[in-house]
Amino acid sequence: MAEYSLTTPLTDENLAQLRAGDVVKLTGTIYTARDAAHKRLIDLLDKGDKLPFELQGAVVYYVGPSPAPEGRPIGSAGPTTSYRMDTYAFRLHSLGLKATVGKGKRSDEVKQALRDHTAVYFGATGGAGALLSQRIKEAKVIAFEELGPEAIRELTVEDFPLLVINDAHGNELYAVPDRPAAGIADYAPPA
Amino acid sequence: MREIDAQTIIDRVAAMCVSANRNLPRDVRRKFEEAAAAEESEAAKEIFRQLLENCDLAAESGLPLCQDTGLAVFFVEMGENVRVKGMTLREAINQGVIKGYEEGFLRKSACHPLTRANTGDNTPAIVHIDLVPGDKLKIGFMAKGGGSENMSRVTMLAPAQGWEGIKKFVVNRVAEAGPNPCPPIVVGVGIGGTFELAPTLAKKALLRKLDDANPDPDLQAKEEELLEAINALGIGPMGLGGKTTALGVKISMHPCHIASLPLAVNIQCHSARHEEVVI
């Protein structure tokens, strides 16, 4: 497992070298978007309108931060569960999105999109919102302000700590549950 | 009849919302430390190191432990000889939530289920009220995040499926949830009652301390049996593999219909934030 320092926007060369389990310290500009914001982004694409940020080489962080106390750019800002954005992610990857940051499993469709478009899925530590916010130096809302915590924000991050969960080569870091060890190898869901 | 001024409730609820979101219960933190020492993989140890650092930082900085400061869920035991003066108990709790979530810079996550429009102040809170003997008011608060809540399930088993059926459903649910609910998790299990009571039992069980023993020795043994099976899954902290998939399992039980075996699994993430006040 290697450690890399990368700067946005990300390139195919940046991402082709990464393998599941690698540690990445990310510096530069990333964009927050979660459930409602993704729906709006797709609506814009369907209408043929421009997105509020450049997708090519972009990193989207699945997060809805808590409000910023005085003197801080942002409140707590850990990842939200990613699967809810799966229906949108493969389309955004096809348009140049290079990485997403969240927690939890992705669909087969998203994993295929990562292979097709040389992109990766990064994990950040869920629940460590206070800790992760220390790596966010600036934050400003750039779209959908009315969505409150779900608005799209442009974040400036420095050495933001990430772990490669799904790489561009089909590898995944998550442990496969050991069903036989837990005594549920023969489990059949209730009718 | 003892009277409690609504403002007292508002202030105590507000303070509890802020405090619970910044300070992880001691028993949970202690479990992090024990589990970190027991883990062998570097990834698992690193996750616990980050979670412990996050706890310290939240307590020092005033930032919430997690950005998902949850829906505000309350379990209230109201003495039959208590009366709230000025407004209803439910209104007072909601006012406390509005105050606490604003003053504590906590995220407002409540929204209309269909339009998804945010209600703007994290109300209405979810409030369960039980009438009990006496003249005290006990308010238990839980900041329930969405990620772990989404991994929860309720089912109606056939009575013949019994304990084996219950065990397999619960362990399988945790296996399917995998890394999504922010393991290491706490698993609340509600057995019996009716379709709507089982999940309430499961959720209320999450208010118990991790290190308390179930007063029913048989249920205590079953909690340990489930914990052992869940940890054998090897999902580990944040799903990266390891010995600690769950920090604890808490079971609550209630008699049910002769035809039924309702079962609910309420999953709580590692940021198991809850507090209680007695007024």
Side-chain angles (χ1 to χ4, degrees):
Chain A
M1 290 181 195
E3 200 170 321
Y4 296 90
S5 288
L6 298 179
T7 306
T8 61
L10 298 179
T11 63
D12 283 10
E13 293 69 42
N14 289 151
L15 300 178
Q17 67 184 337
L18 298 180
R19 294 291 183 279
D22 288 349
V23 172
V24 170
K25 298 281 169 65
L26 187 68
T27 296
T29 303
I30 65 176
Y31 301 95
T32 74
R34 46 170 295 153
D35 307 68
H38 270 82
K39 189 168 189 320
R40 300 268 189 109
L41 290 176
I42 296 298
D43 288 346
L44 288 177
L45 289 175
D46 286 344
K47 282 192 286 183
D49 290 345
K50 232 170 103 61
L51 296 188
F53 59 91
E54 173 59 50
L55 260 187
Q56 194 58 52
V59 179
V60 165
Y61 184 17
Y62 300 144
V63 58
S66 62
E70 268 171 53
R72 287 184 181 272
I74 199 164
S76 281
T80 195
T81 321
S82 305
Y83 74 88
R84 301 191 311 269
M85 272 56 78
D86 281 358
T87 37
Y88 312 109
F90 67 94
R91 182 158 175 200
L92 298 179
H93 279 304
S94 76
L95 297 170
L97 175 68
K98 279 291 153 202
T100 57
V101 178
K103 67 175 173 84
K105 292 179 284 192
R106 306 310 301 264
S107 68
D108 290 341
E109 205 174 21
V110 170
K111 292 177 203 169
Q112 185 60 46
L114 300 179
R115 289 196 285 270
D116 291 346
H117 306 291
T118 318
V120 304
Y121 169 51
F122 291 118
T125 302
L131 185 64
L132 288 167
S133 77
Q134 308 301 302
R135 298 274 146 216
I136 299 169
K137 302 301 170 186
E138 289 171 49
K140 68 171 184 226
V141 172
I142 59 164
F144 316 142
E145 185 157 18
E146 64 280 11
L147 294 180
E150 297 201 70
I152 293 187
R153 289 169 172 79
E154 184 183 282
L155 306 182
T156 306
V157 297
E158 205 176 282
D159 291 331
F160 197 83
L162 301 170
L163 198 53
V164 179
I165 301 292
N166 291 103
D167 63 27
H169 312 283
N171 304 304
E172 174 165 333
L173 185 61
Y174 284 138
V176 177
D178 188 345
R179 288 164 183 270
I184 57 160
D186 60 341
Y187 177 76
Chain B
M1 188 63 85
R2 180 178 165 229
E3 287 198 331
I4 299 176
D5 194 68
Q7 193 60 46
T8 306
I9 296 167
I10 294 171
D11 293 341
R12 297 293 289 272
V13 164
M16 189 161 56
C17 292
V18 175
S19 162
N21 271 296
R22 288 179 186 170
N23 306 295
L24 201 65
R26 279 176 200 282
D27 55 313
V28 181
R29 197 197 154 102
R30 201 159 45 236
K31 281 276 178 201
F32 284 2
E33 286 164 355
E34 287 169 18
E39 288 287 355
E40 282 158 11
S41 98
E42 277 310 309
K45 281 185 184 295
E46 170 62 15
I47 295 296
F48 279 118
R49 193 197 62 71
Q50 290 181 20
L51 296 186
L52 287 164
E53 193 183 343
N54 189 63
C55 288
D56 293 340
L57 197 60
E60 282 164 24
S61 68
L63 288 172
L65 288 150
C66 178
Q67 74 290 337
D68 185 353
T69 51
L71 279 193
V73 179
F74 294 88
F75 284 93
V76 181
E77 289 177 14
M78 184 171 189
E80 283 167 334
N81 299 320
V82 175
R83 202 180 78 84
V84 180
K85 204 172 69 183
M87 61 182 79
T88 68
L89 173 62
R90 202 174 283 274
E91 281 167 342
I93 289 174
N94 277 324
Q95 290 301 316
V97 169
I98 292 171
K99 185 170 190 267
Y101 272 69
E102 188 59 30
E103 290 176 357
F105 295 93
L106 306 179
R107 195 181 83 186
K108 291 89 176 173
S109 304
C111 75
H112 186 291
L114 298 180
T115 66
R116 312 305 296 177
N118 199 298
T119 66
D121 58 15
N122 220 41
T123 68
I126 311 292
V127 185
H128 305 278
I129 303 172
D130 278 335
L131 278 178
V132 299
D135 64 354
K136 294 221 175 5
L137 183 62
K138 184 161 115 181
I139 306 177
F141 163 72
M142 185 188 291
K144 193 68 183 74
S148 58
E149 190 77 350
N150 286 345
M151 294 296 113
S152 303
R153 290 293 183 272
V154 59
T155 188
M156 306 300 280
L157 297 181
Q161 288 174 280
W163 171 245
E164 272 312 299
I166 292 168
K167 183 176 171 184
K168 285 190 174 170
F169 183 87
V170 173
V171 177
N172 183 66
R173 189 58 221 144
V174 174
E176 282 179 343
N180 293 6
C182 281
I185 55 178
V186 185
V187 184
V189 181
I191 304 173
T194 44
F195 176 74
E196 85 286 3
L197 183 64
T200 310
L201 293 171
K203 175 149 284 157
K204 195 172 181 188
L206 292 173
L207 285 177
R208 280 172 49 204
K209 284 200 178 2
L210 283 175
D211 45 15
D212 78 348
N214 195 309
D216 176 338
D218 180 46
L219 285 187
Q220 174 66 25
K222 285 182 161 52
E223 288 175 357
E224 283 165 17
E225 186 181 336
L226 283 177
L227 182 61
E228 195 178 320
I230 286 168
N231 282 333
L233 289 168
I235 293 167
M238 292 314 293
L240 302 176
K243 297 177 171 181
T244 326
T245 299
L247 300 167
V249 176
K250 300 290 165 188
I251 301 177
S252 225
M253 211 159 69
H254 194 280
C256 60
H257 193 284
I258 49 175
S260 297
L261 179 48
L263 171 64
V265 185
N266 193 204
I267 298 185
Q268 168 62 54
C269 64
H270 62 72
S271 202
R273 297 151 293 175
H274 56 91
E275 273 188 25
E276 184 179 287
V277 290
V278 179
I279 302 173

